[in-house]
Amino acid sequence: MSLSLFFVGVYFMMLEIDFVIEFNLFSLSSVSLVSLFYIDWVSLIFMSFVLYISALIMNYSGQYMNGDLSLKRFIYLMLLFVLSMMMMILGLNLVSILLGWDGLGLVSYALVIYYQNVKSYNAGMLTALSNRVGDAALLMGVAWMSGYGSWNFIFYLSIDSSIMFFVVCFCILAAFTKSAQIPFSSWLPAAMAAPTPVSALVHSSTLVTAGVYLLIRLSPSFNEYLMGVLLFSSLFTMFMAGVCANFEYDLKKIIAFSTLSQLGMMISILSLGGQDLAFFHLLTHALFKALLFMCAGAIIHTLGDIQDIRCMGGLINFMPITSICMNISNFALCGIPFLSGFYSKDMIAEILSMSISSCFIYLIFYLSIGLTVSYSLRLSYFIFFGDFNIKSLVSLSDSVNKILINSMVGLIFFVIFMGSVLSWVMPFTPYFIVLPFFMKLMTVIFIFLGCIIGLELTKMNYFYNLLTLKVYSVTLFLSGMWNLPILSTLGLNFVFLNFGKFMHVSMDYGWFEYYGSGGLIYFIKFFTRSIQLFSISHLKLYLFLFVIYLALFIFLF
């Protein structure tokens, strides 16, 4: 399916064909509820990538989750995830997008809490509640678009009206929560509590890219103020993720921060008007990030569920195929020439160099590129070339994980060649790039600077009297995502938890209890006892009632 969708997508691209398919679900009076599917080369090629990556990850999950009692349930959840993403990609009606959007949020919660422990529950709740903000924003967008009598926003993108402005603002807020831009970044590393196959699927082509995809679709209606907000938020997200990854020791969290950094890069070039470039980087990033997570999963699986990179080292001697795959995907992530990541990253850097007149934005962007190389080198050094810090009981071999290796090798070819194939095939507006010699070399200069910083960080040991320990509070601030997890959890839920406690104690156990269930039960008991007196067969009672009825009858008539 993936292969056929890709070729159909290229055919649509060449002939510039778009299909809009409408299903009239039901009509009531003058209102018609229509489900709309928009099929063009963007949705077809994106779907082909999602299907190919998810197929390899399904195969990979069979071995990785081997021995899990509820493996079937896990696979069904993953399939639901892919189905929700398909709904999201094809729908250009805000309601059908909301169905896919909510499906992604719900299934991601179920997958994050898959390993049932307290850490997973907390991470799942943080993920779900952060994404609920975006769901509410999309609902508000649906409410605003009701003014047009239709939810098919694709037909109204060129209209410059206040309604469309508010709809776009709400959709940008929704995209920020899903793609984890500042200030909603804290859920992305927390979601690493999920099994590694889930992380590979979520961070490559599904959940986090849904926000970027929605922004690409909405981009024709952005004005300069919205583009400024997008640019600054995405640049700071890039920089923050790069800094945090250089301080992190959890293998999966480092790769999660790299995803955050790349999402920032996509949105920053999107905010400068490069929708095609953002989509190009979205596709190449999906390939090398899926491979990176699969390699990380193979290493964690082989080492007996160890995720701390300080407890690894020297793996190039024991797991050569995994090491080759991981290093190639790391090189693609860094933008090393002629791998898939290079074609999109280099173009993005050069277009940004031509578009921006601000030194601050220019510097932050190139620093983020340097930091990407830095944490990638640090990661490779700790895992493959560093000291052998592995516990002695672990049996190390690539041959154990044949199915995992097959899935990884299925991606290697695409990670190397797909960037150049897409750069030949995709219908870019021809970019005429004219830069001074020094600015042209800026990418290469910052890659080398990143290498030097990465080497310095790997060679630093605590007995060198680390400078970071002298400024411990600054280090904690930089490594802790600029306090975003604290702000988005303790800073917000403190008020709501206190309010919940107050309502529970004073209302549920207080006034509602007195005037509600407790008081009602007391009243019903009292009333029932009083009524029961009449059912006891006392002659006095019958005579008394007879006298009352007689008196009432005489009095009334």
Side-chain angles (χ1 to χ4, degrees):
M1 267 186 82
S2 165
L3 203 61
S4 57
L5 279 173
F6 181 76
F7 287 120
V8 172
V10 172
Y11 179 73
F12 271 47
M13 189 194 298
M14 295 302 176
L15 298 182
E16 296 183 353
I17 304 171
D18 288 3
F19 279 143
V20 177
I21 301 170
E22 284 193 352
F23 293 104
N24 194 352
L25 298 178
F26 74 89
S27 297
L28 183 67
S29 183
S30 62
V31 178
S32 295
L33 190 62
V34 176
S35 181
L36 178 132
F37 295 109
Y38 183 63
I39 299 171
D40 65 339
W41 69 270
V42 174
S43 54
L44 285 168
I45 288 180
F46 194 24
M47 277 204 299
S48 77
F49 273 65
V50 172
L51 285 172
Y52 184 69
I53 289 167
S54 54
L56 289 176
I57 289 170
M58 293 294 175
N59 184 38
Y60 178 91
S61 302
Q63 170 71 28
Y64 188 87
M65 304 294 284
N66 189 21
D68 187 10
L69 294 174
S70 48
L71 180 61
K72 232 179 215 178
R73 183 175 64 191
F74 179 76
I75 298 293
Y76 286 148
L77 279 170
M78 296 274 273
L79 283 171
L80 270 173
F81 207 72
V82 176
L83 195 68
S84 301
M85 194 64 197
M86 295 292 141
M87 190 89 177
M88 157 79 215
I89 292 168
L90 286 174
L92 275 187
N93 178 317
L94 273 182
V95 176
S96 56
I97 280 180
L98 187 68
L99 287 172
W101 197 267
D102 262 343
L104 286 170
L106 183 67
V107 178
S108 68
Y109 175 72
L111 287 167
V112 169
I113 63 163
Y114 190 79
Y115 293 139
Q116 296 183 9
N117 54 50
V118 175
K119 189 189 168 194
S120 297
Y121 293 149
N122 291 338
M125 194 50 74
L126 178 59
T127 304
L129 293 181
S130 299
N131 283 314
R132 286 316 291 167
V133 177
D135 300 341
L138 262 186
L139 278 170
M140 291 295 288
V142 168
W144 271 94
M145 274 215 78
S146 301
Y148 283 135
S150 165
W151 290 308
N152 306 335
F153 66 85
I154 191 75
F155 305 135
Y156 303 101
L157 290 179
S158 56
I159 296 173
D160 187 16
S161 69
S162 57
I163 290 180
M164 207 57 215
F165 175 74
F166 280 112
V167 169
V168 169
C169 284
F170 282 123
C171 287
I172 284 174
L173 177 59
F176 268 31
T177 57
K178 206 59 115 185
S179 293
Q181 299 301 296
I182 283 176
F184 303 103
S185 305
S186 57
W187 70 264
L188 197 74
M192 290 296 100
T196 309
V198 176
S199 306
L201 194 57
V202 162
H203 286 254
S204 60
S205 55
T206 51
L207 183 71
V208 291
T209 54
V212 181
Y213 181 76
L214 185 63
L215 288 179
I216 289 168
R217 288 299 200 193
L218 282 166
S219 55
S221 61
F222 291 165
N223 60 28
E224 58 187 38
Y225 304 111
L226 290 175
M227 284 187 164
V229 170
L230 280 174
L231 179 62
F232 277 95
S233 179
S234 55
L235 276 174
F236 284 133
T237 307
M238 267 181 84
F239 183 66
M240 182 259 301
V243 170
C244 293
N246 278 298
F247 283 100
E248 187 57 61
Y249 285 103
D250 187 316
L251 174 57
K252 281 171 74 177
K253 278 192 181 175
I254 292 171
I255 305 173
F257 281 127
S258 87
T259 303
L260 200 51
S261 176
Q262 299 309 304
L263 289 169
M265 180 177 276
M266 290 170 211
I267 295 176
S268 59
I269 197 63
L270 178 73
S271 64
L272 297 173
Q275 297 93 346
D276 286 344
L277 266 179
F279 185 63
F280 184 21
H281 191 55
L282 182 71
L283 296 177
T284 54
H285 168 259
L287 294 169
F288 61 72
K289 192 48 60 74
L291 182 59
L292 206 52
F293 264 111
M294 285 160 115
C295 296
I299 290 166
I300 291 165
H301 193 61
T302 309
L303 295 184
D305 303 329
I306 293 170
Q307 284 183 214
D308 195 321
I309 57 171
R310 289 168 295 188
C311 301
M312 301 174 187
L315 285 183
I316 199 159
N317 301 314
F318 303 98
M319 302 174 72
I321 302 170
T322 308
S323 304
I324 290 165
C325 292
M326 190 155 184
N327 276 324
I328 288 172
S329 52
N330 251 337
F331 285 152
L333 170 66
C334 295
I336 299 295
F338 313 116
L339 291 172
S340 64
F342 163 75
Y343 291 91
S344 52
K345 282 189 85 166
D346 189 61
M347 184 84 86
I348 286 170
E350 290 185 350
I351 298 296
L352 187 123
S353 300
M354 283 188 68
S355 309
I356 289 296
S357 56
S358 163
C359 288
F360 175 72
I361 290 172
Y362 189 76
L363 189 66
I364 290 285
F365 182 82
Y366 275 100
L367 270 174
S368 305
I369 287 178
L371 287 168
T372 302
V373 181
S374 165
Y375 65 68
S376 299
L377 193 77
R378 174 175 173 264
L379 185 67
S380 292
Y381 181 85
F382 266 103
I383 296 176
F384 304 121
F385 314 116
D387 299 330
F388 187 80
N389 297 325
I390 298 160
K391 59 183 183 184
S392 56
L393 295 173
V394 176
S395 60
L396 293 170
S397 174
D398 254 341
S399 58
V400 181
N401 307 323
K402 278 184 183 161
I403 298 172
L404 304 189
I405 296 293
N406 291 343
S407 297
M408 288 190 279
V409 170
L411 267 176
I412 273 282
F413 176 80
F414 292 99
V415 169
I416 296 169
F417 293 111
M418 205 62 191
S420 54
V421 170
L422 285 171
S423 67
W424 300 329
V425 167
M426 281 177 76
F428 286 125
T429 310
Y431 288 107
F432 186 64
I433 297 169
V434 182
L435 288 171
F437 179 71
F438 185 68
M439 283 178 79
K440 190 78 174 167
L441 287 179
M442 276 297 268
T443 317
V444 181
I445 290 165
F446 271 91
I447 282 176
F448 281 118
L449 277 174
C451 285
I452 293 163
I453 295 167
L455 278 170
E456 282 296 324
L457 286 169
T458 52
K459 294 293 184 184
M460 272 184 185
N461 284 322
Y462 285 105
F463 49 78
Y464 288 150
N465 191 7
L466 267 183
L467 195 67
T468 50
L469 291 177
K470 287 185 179 176
V471 281
Y472 191 59
S473 54
V474 178
T475 308
L476 276 181
F477 173 72
L478 290 174
S479 61
M481 292 181 76
W482 299 353
N483 295 338
L484 275 177
I486 297 164
L487 291 171
S488 60
T489 49
L490 298 175
L492 285 175
N493 65 12
F494 180 75
V495 179
F496 297 108
L497 286 175
N498 269 355
F499 182 67
K501 187 179 177 184
F502 166 75
M503 292 295 286
H504 183 64
V505 172
S506 62
M507 302 304 280
D508 274 6
Y509 285 172
W511 293 103
F512 287 156
E513 187 69 25
Y514 185 73
Y515 286 111
S517 58
L520 197 66
I521 286 170
Y522 178 75
F523 173 73
I524 290 169
K525 275 184 181 175
F526 174 75
F527 189 67
T528 313
R529 282 186 188 137
S530 306
I531 295 291
Q532 273 183 338
L533 287 172
F534 291 98
S535 63
I536 300 166
S537 54
H538 282 305
L539 189 63
K540 285 187 290 182
L541 199 60
Y542 282 126
L543 286 172
F544 178 63
L545 285 173
F546 179 71
V547 170
I548 287 173
Y549 287 143
L550 198 63
L552 281 171
F553 184 74
I554 293 166
F555 180 72
L556 291 172
F557 298 101

